[in-house]
Amino acid sequence: MQLIDSHCHLDADEFDLDRDAVLSRAQAAGVGMQIVPAVTAASWPKLKQTCAAASGLHPAYGLHPMFLSEHRPEHLAQLREWVEREAPVAIGECGLDFFVEGLDADSQRHYFQGQLELAREFQLPLVVHARRAVDEVIQRIRRTGRLRGVVHSFSGSPEQARQLWDQGFLIGLGGPLTYPRANRLRTLVTQMPLEFLLLETDAPDQPDAGIRGQRNEPARLLDIAQTVAELRGQPIEEVAAQTTANARRLFAL
Ligand SMILES: [Zn+2]
């Protein structure tokens, strides 16, 4: 059984002391590939180095909305150069976050729109972060046109999920799904077509219910796959095969 962690910040400092061990545990759990999205321009060189040092790690380059204070107008032009030179599997992590206070909305929109257009130009999928902003993300995807990608750690309604599928986007689900009180997410994953689902850990963040409060890591993806299988009443092998095929197709792995 092969799993792909479609969203894991393996370049994060939290993994500096034991990254090799973390990767070994992921391999042992069947998580042989990971998409590693960027957060700031300053993070790109370390991300590149991290992905080059191990097999199965695929970088995405972008400017994450939660790190707005670190972005500068020239970073969009620099991103264009990086994408052209490095040929990443995706643009991201990018998006809109209207939940965290103090992030200027218009400035977020500027960087997000710039990355949407870059993805269209280079025909690359997007890794999108959308918190309290799913409707506007859908609008911008639709208005920009000819895009595809994933809205990671999806937290919207079934109707919003459907609108995203119609625009060629998948939804990424991970740790939050494993909490018994996450009724809306658990209902969604029970009823949605599996062909639109990607599995993710978002490690080191968003630990699942089994490691509440601890550092998350990609090996935990197996537990997330197990939760999806139980909720759907479907063998885990089928969940793994379909979601892995989805990730391979989206990111051209
Ligand atoms: Zn992330």
Side-chain angles (χ1 to χ4, degrees), residues 188-239:
L188 176 65
V189 83
T190 304
Q191 296 174 351
M192 69 177 282
L194 211 50
E195 65 191 284
F196 299 124
L197 179 65
L198 293 187
L199 302 181
E200 63 171 58
T201 62
D202 199 19
D205 303 322
Q206 302 210 71
D208 62 82
I211 53 164
R212 188 188 293 254
Q214 298 171 43
R215 183 188 70 171
N216 195 4
E217 63 172 69
R220 299 300 300 174
L221 198 68
L222 187 57
D223 285 63
I224 290 162
Q226 186 62 49
T227 300
V228 172
E230 282 166 15
L231 287 168
R232 295 177 64 88
Q234 198 172 2
I236 189 173
E237 291 79 8
E238 282 178 27
V239 171

Side-chain angles (χ1 to χ4, degrees), residues 2 11 21 56 62 78-79 127 132 134 141 145 154 166-167 178 180-181 183 190 196 227 242 251:
Q2 275 296 317
D11 61 318
Q78 288 171 17
L79 178 58
V127 176
R132 295 244 175 108
V134 178
I141 285 169
F154 180 77
D166 288 347
Q167 294 296 314
T178 60
R181 281 160 64 185
N183 287 321
T190 304
F196 299 124
T227 300
Q242 180 68 58
F251 298 112

Side-chain angles (χ1 to χ4, degrees), residues 7 9 37 39 64 93 129 152 202 205:
H7 197 111
H9 297 281
V39 291
H64 190 306
E93 176 166 358
H129 170 108
H152 107 90
D202 199 19
D205 303 322

